Amino acid sequence: MKPVLLIAMNFVREQRWPILVLLLWVLLLAFLGLMSDIRRQREDLLFVFKQVAFYVVVFSVFFGGSAIYSERRSRRILAVLSKAVSRQQYLSGLVLGVTIASAIYCFTLGLTGSWTLGEAGFPMSQVWFLMLCLVAACMLAGTVALMFSTFLNPFFAASATAAVLGLPAVAGESHALAAQWGYVIPAYALTRTVLQASFQSPGNSFWLPILLALVETVGFWLVAARIFAYVDIAVAVE
Amino acid sequence: MTVVLEYDNLTKEYRSFASRRRVRALDHFSLQVEAGEIFGFLGPNGAGKSTAIHLAMGFMRPSSGSGRMLGKPFGRASTRRRVGFLAENVALYHRRAEPLVRFYGALNRMGGARLSQRAREVLEAVGMLDQAKGNVGKFSRGMLQRIGLAQALVNDPELLILDEPTSALDPVARVMVRELLLKAREAGKTIFLSSHLLSEVELVCDRVGVLHQGKLVRLGRTEDLLASAGQTEIVARGIAPDGFAGAVARHGVVTFTVPVHQQQAALERVWSLGGEVVSANPVRRSLEEMFLEVTGAANSTGGAR
């Protein structure tokens, strides 16, 4: 477990500047929100909150999709995997790192959301439940991206991830069992829970998609580990 | 003797996805490295040296054949705990030197005061203790290579695999690394050293293997390989040079070489002429001469041993 934590913390450290910029963006928007007339502009505040929440899912795809590529390109992966670290542990560290990075973002968003939306009458507990949904969605999205990045470059890995995560949405739109399709790969269902929240209907605390996301994260991690075990990591990626 | 690193009929082919062309980097390669020796792994660029090292470290899988490191098949994470590795063109995270070395030590399950102490010890050993608080991202290539060496040594490895460890170092640092390697051998460690710096290899290695086009074309003890010219150099005093083929008179002595089987006769002739033998030594080639001879011969015979 120690190497996994070390790799995860190292990943977060390596991504500290993009994370910091994102946090500053969230704090800036929260500050502007607090400066406004919260009661009268609460719908606008909620819209901005949901928009900023959606970004983190996209960022987790980019984080996950580029992690292995940049490590291989810089050849830093060699020094790490020359230690008593298995490839499964390495991937676990990256999954945990992506999850921690998105959790930091979601925590900050949750805090600022509690101040601004809480002031406007949005249930505070529901803000944190939505953040939990978001973290689960990020974890799953980041892991799917990581799986594709074991054999694709970041651009194709991100595209393939978008296709896989968006598949339930497309299927749901064109199928009678729309709701059920959303749970096949529940990143879409979890993101939709956040995006459909409103002051009138803040959403219910439905835990099934979160649990499914956890299980599927393990599943995609297993597939990623299986593929990554056969990758020649010392071969140049360009 | 215990075998620490073993390649058994190992072949590695790279396949190009686009052109489907195959490149054979290692061709039925077999080698045994014994415990407690410094083994020099030589070969021209593209010979397959780094591929052989990466296979041992588990960075890639062989196309056929197998290998064992410290008694276990290649690629086991638990085995790497007892191994130190320095890659060619070392790349490390950009953070302060001491925490970075501690980070790599912690990946090998080290921790606490022992790790902190060990990190400082290895930084001192590679002459970087003064720079322990410096950011590795701002270091020169030579300094980076020394930090790379420190991270390879931090876990006090039984087997040290070094890919071009002195390529970016200045002469003083090279001497320091050489002493470090000799000290490690004294402590019973095994060192597998890949290098282009043949003079360095000649000075420290017990055995040498030459790889060419993926095949091992020469293997043996360094002193045997260098003394295999079959000639003896005789230095004598009190004789005229014209009595011996190729003899040169300089600074009051006459120097000439004879085949080993004629050595006895040549010495008796010096004495019979009233001369005095100053020395008679086997002619030693430099490793560079041996290397050029071996790789040149392999080129002309298509890599045959």
Side-chain angles (χ1 to χ4, degrees):
Chain A
M1 193 62 192
K2 189 179 173 184
V4 175
L5 283 173
L6 284 166
I7 291 164
M9 294 318 294
N10 187 60
F11 174 84
V12 174
R13 193 187 174 281
E14 288 296 305
Q15 302 295 337
R16 63 192 180 281
W17 294 115
I19 292 170
L20 192 67
V21 169
L22 291 173
L23 293 187
L24 287 175
W25 176 242
V26 170
L27 290 171
L28 176 72
L29 288 176
F31 178 73
L32 292 175
L34 286 170
M35 291 290 104
S36 64
D37 185 348
I38 289 177
R39 285 279 164 193
R40 287 179 58 189
Q41 295 181 325
R42 64 180 206 165
E43 293 300 333
D44 291 343
L45 277 176
L46 185 61
F47 176 79
V48 171
F49 175 80
K50 290 194 283 192
Q51 193 182 36
V52 174
F54 179 71
Y55 288 161
V56 72
V57 181
V58 178
F59 284 121
S60 64
V61 170
F62 286 128
F63 282 146
S66 62
I68 292 175
Y69 180 85
S70 56
E71 288 279 287
R72 283 185 64 192
R73 191 176 165 193
S74 67
R75 294 173 62 85
R76 288 173 178 168
I77 194 171
L78 298 184
V80 174
L81 288 181
S82 70
K83 306 298 175 201
V85 178
S86 68
R87 294 198 184 190
Q88 292 94 322
Q89 287 173 324
Y90 181 74
L91 283 181
S92 306
L94 293 182
V95 169
L96 188 60
V98 172
T99 308
I100 291 172
S102 49
I104 292 169
Y105 183 96
C106 291
F107 179 73
T108 311
L109 189 61
L111 274 181
T112 56
S114 301
W115 293 334
T116 52
L117 297 178
E119 195 98 340
F122 198 89
M124 222 176 268
S125 61
Q126 195 58 23
V127 170
W128 289 108
F129 180 76
L130 293 180
M131 291 304 102
L132 194 63
C133 288
L134 213 51
V135 172
C138 290
M139 185 171 65
L140 179 58
T143 309
V144 173
L146 198 66
M147 181 201 74
F148 282 118
S149 76
T150 56
F151 59 95
L152 293 174
N153 74 31
F155 176 75
F156 288 115
S159 304
T161 306
V164 166
L165 298 183
L167 209 62
V170 176
E173 290 299 318
S174 58
H175 200 279
L177 301 167
Q180 283 84 343
W181 272 107
Y183 298 123
V184 174
I185 296 169
Y188 167 67
L190 289 163
T191 312
R192 193 178 53 187
T193 305
V194 177
L195 296 180
Q196 287 184 344
S198 66
F199 283 97
Q200 294 75 32
S201 168
N204 52 1
S205 300
F206 190 41
W207 288 83
L208 180 67
I210 295 176
L211 295 175
L212 279 174
L214 280 172
V215 172
E216 289 191 17
T217 297
V218 174
F220 279 110
W221 170 81
L222 283 170
V223 176
R226 188 74 185 153
I227 298 168
F228 194 49
Y230 290 92
V231 174
D232 286 354
I233 57 159
V235 176
V237 286
E238 289 151 311
Chain B
M1 203 66 172
T2 313
V3 174
V4 170
L5 185 62
E6 183 179 10
Y7 294 88
D8 186 11
N9 203 25
L10 204 142
T11 296
K12 175 67 185 175
E13 282 182 343
Y14 294 111
R15 267 185 272 183
S16 164
F17 181 75
S19 66
R20 297 190 173 274
R21 197 167 61 90
R22 290 182 179 204
V23 176
R24 186 167 281 199
L26 281 179
D27 191 0
H28 298 95
F29 172 65
S30 295
L31 176 70
Q32 291 189 336
V33 178
E34 291 163 0
E37 72 174 339
I38 302 181
F39 186 90
F41 198 40
L42 309 177
N45 290 331
K49 303 187 299 295
S50 292
T51 297
I53 288 173
H54 291 159
L55 283 163
M57 293 305 297
F59 297 156
M60 48 178 65
R61 286 167 173 251
S63 305
S64 67
S66 62
R68 295 172 82 80
M69 187 163 71
L70 296 170
K72 298 275 164 47
F74 287 165
R76 295 268 177 95
S78 56
T79 312
R80 291 198 292 268
R81 195 175 173 178
R82 297 151 60 198
V83 176
F85 170 69
L86 174 66
E88 187 184 8
N89 300 324
V90 61
L92 304 168
Y93 295 107
H94 292 183
R95 54 164 87 174
R96 286 182 295 125
E98 193 179 339
L100 183 70
V101 174
R102 281 209 306 268
F103 167 74
Y104 287 114
L107 287 177
N108 267 332
R109 314 290 201 281
M110 296 173 78
R114 187 176 149 251
L115 175 57
S116 300
Q117 189 194 338
R118 183 68 189 156
R120 292 188 73 78
E121 278 173 13
V122 290
L123 283 170
E124 190 172 16
V126 298
M128 291 295 288
L129 193 56
D130 293 344
Q131 305 285 335
K133 288 188 168 62
N135 191 310
V136 169
K138 292 174 181 161
F139 284 178
S140 69
R141 197 164 159 241
M143 292 160 85
L144 196 63
Q145 203 155 22
R146 289 204 241 175
I147 298 296
L149 201 55
Q151 65 81 29
L153 291 165
V154 70
N155 55 329
D156 195 19
E158 290 170 45
L159 169 63
L160 201 50
I161 297 178
L162 307 173
D163 198 355
E164 303 287 351
T166 54
S167 58
L169 299 182
D170 59 47
V172 176
R174 272 182 202 168
V175 172
M176 185 201 67
V177 170
R178 193 190 308 154
E179 285 170 0
L180 206 68
L181 298 182
L182 293 171
K183 208 183 281 181
R185 182 179 59 184
E186 275 173 31
K189 318 286 184 197
T190 309
I191 298 150
F192 188 72
L193 173 69
S194 165
S195 180
H196 278 124
L197 295 168
L198 303 179
S199 55
E200 294 289 323
V201 171
E202 192 175 331
L203 284 169
V204 298
C205 291
D206 303 303
R207 282 202 306 149
V208 168
V210 182
L211 196 66
H212 187 61
Q213 294 176 348
K215 290 180 178 174
L216 193 66
V217 289
R218 189 60 63 90
L219 175 68
R221 295 194 63 78
T222 312
E223 59 194 40
D224 296 341
L225 292 175
L226 299 183
S228 62
Q231 298 273 317
T232 299
E233 183 187 70
I234 296 174
V235 180
R237 189 184 287 143
I239 54 167
D242 44 358
F244 299 88
V248 178
R250 199 186 296 156
H251 307 305
V253 294
V254 174
T255 306
F256 60 96
T257 55
V258 292
V260 171
H261 65 274
Q262 292 175 13
Q263 178 186 317
Q264 181 73 22
L267 292 173
E268 283 169 0
R269 188 143 174 258
V270 170
W271 288 321
S272 68
L273 290 170
E276 178 194 350
V277 176
V278 176
S279 65
N281 290 309
V283 173
R284 277 175 64 90
R285 296 178 296 179
S286 69
L287 198 56
E288 191 172 77
E289 287 168 325
M290 188 278 288
F291 180 80
L292 291 173
E293 181 192 305
V294 166
T295 52
N299 272 335
S300 61
T301 58
R305 191 167 176 180

